[in-house]
Amino acid sequence: TAWAFAKMAMWHGPLFAAIDAAARARKLSPQDLTSLAWACAALLLQDSPLLTFLAETSGSAVWEFGPQHLSLSAWSFALLALRHEPLLDAIACQAMQKMAEFGAAAGSFEDVGPCQDLALMAWAFASLAVCNHPLLAALSGASRSKIKQFNPQNLSNTAWAWATLLVQDLPLLSAISQQAVETVAEFDA
């Protein structure tokens, strides 16, 4: 329900208060946690007690998350410029452990295609100015091995992340550049 209202950009205070109360009363799945975080981000709910609850709950359940849950959770908090260090540390740790699973075909989220989880993770950490070198190294290796599957947006977001963090990863940037040359006709101006 929260996802649907957020998708339509509709905020309804009593509904989200009820969702917050219900979320606290039961164990939420990775899908539930990620969808709620996405809904908060889509509605730009920066000062919500629900966000604190989601960050804390996600941080302790992150070991259950798949690549899309990890990247979309990081993206959601980054979009709101909420730098919750324990959650980001947990996401980074879990992402590194599951890096081989990143870049697979789309899963349970309709707008997430292959390799977008890699680009979103990089974008999220760069947006929050978190330069986690072990995570960046893992993302770089996974991105280089799957660069042919990156669409123009993923290439742009990944290059932007490294540039924003002032990290010169020449093998990654060369791979991005080569793929961009090969797919330049697909890019927007």
Side-chain angles (χ1 to χ4, degrees):
T1 304
W3 179 89
F5 272 72
K7 187 80 171 164
M8 296 183 293
M10 293 180 63
W11 164 253
H12 187 262
L15 172 64
F16 277 83
I19 288 170
D20 185 2
R24 293 170 190 270
R26 65 183 181 97
K27 183 181 182 326
L28 298 175
S29 70
Q31 180 74 29
D32 294 336
L33 290 164
T34 305
S35 293
L36 277 173
W38 182 91
C40 290
L43 291 170
L44 300 175
L45 301 179
Q46 293 184 316
D47 235 2
S48 168
L50 178 58
L51 282 173
T52 302
F53 168 76
L54 289 173
E56 292 168 358
T57 305
S58 294
S60 63
V62 76
W63 60 273
E64 298 178 63
F65 284 27
Q68 290 182 345
H69 301 116
L70 293 167
S71 62
L72 284 175
S73 293
W75 175 87
S76 296
F77 283 88
L79 187 66
L80 295 170
L82 295 175
R83 190 172 166 160
H84 190 277
E85 297 289 340
L87 175 60
L88 294 173
D89 290 345
I91 286 174
C93 182
Q94 204 53 224
M96 287 184 288
Q97 290 179 14
K98 295 182 177 180
M99 194 55 62
E101 299 172 34
F102 275 72
S108 55
F109 294 93
E110 70 176 44
D111 295 332
V112 179
C115 297
Q116 190 172 358
D117 48 9
L118 291 164
L120 284 180
M121 182 71 69
W123 180 91
F125 276 74
S127 292
L128 293 169
V130 176
C131 191
N132 182 315
H133 288 286
L135 175 62
L136 290 175
L139 287 168
S140 174
S143 295
R144 288 191 325 267
S145 72
K146 296 174 178 165
I147 202 76
K148 295 284 186 196
Q149 299 172 45
F150 275 48
N151 66 27
Q153 186 68 51
N154 295 339
L155 292 170
S156 296
N157 285 348
T158 304
W160 178 89
W162 264 259
T164 297
L165 293 171
L166 302 175
V167 175
Q168 290 189 3
D169 182 333
L170 295 180
L172 176 62
L173 296 175
S174 293
I176 290 170
S177 178
Q178 180 60 39
Q179 184 63 15
V181 166
E182 291 177 18
T183 59
V184 73
E186 298 173 32
F187 279 77
D188 293 335

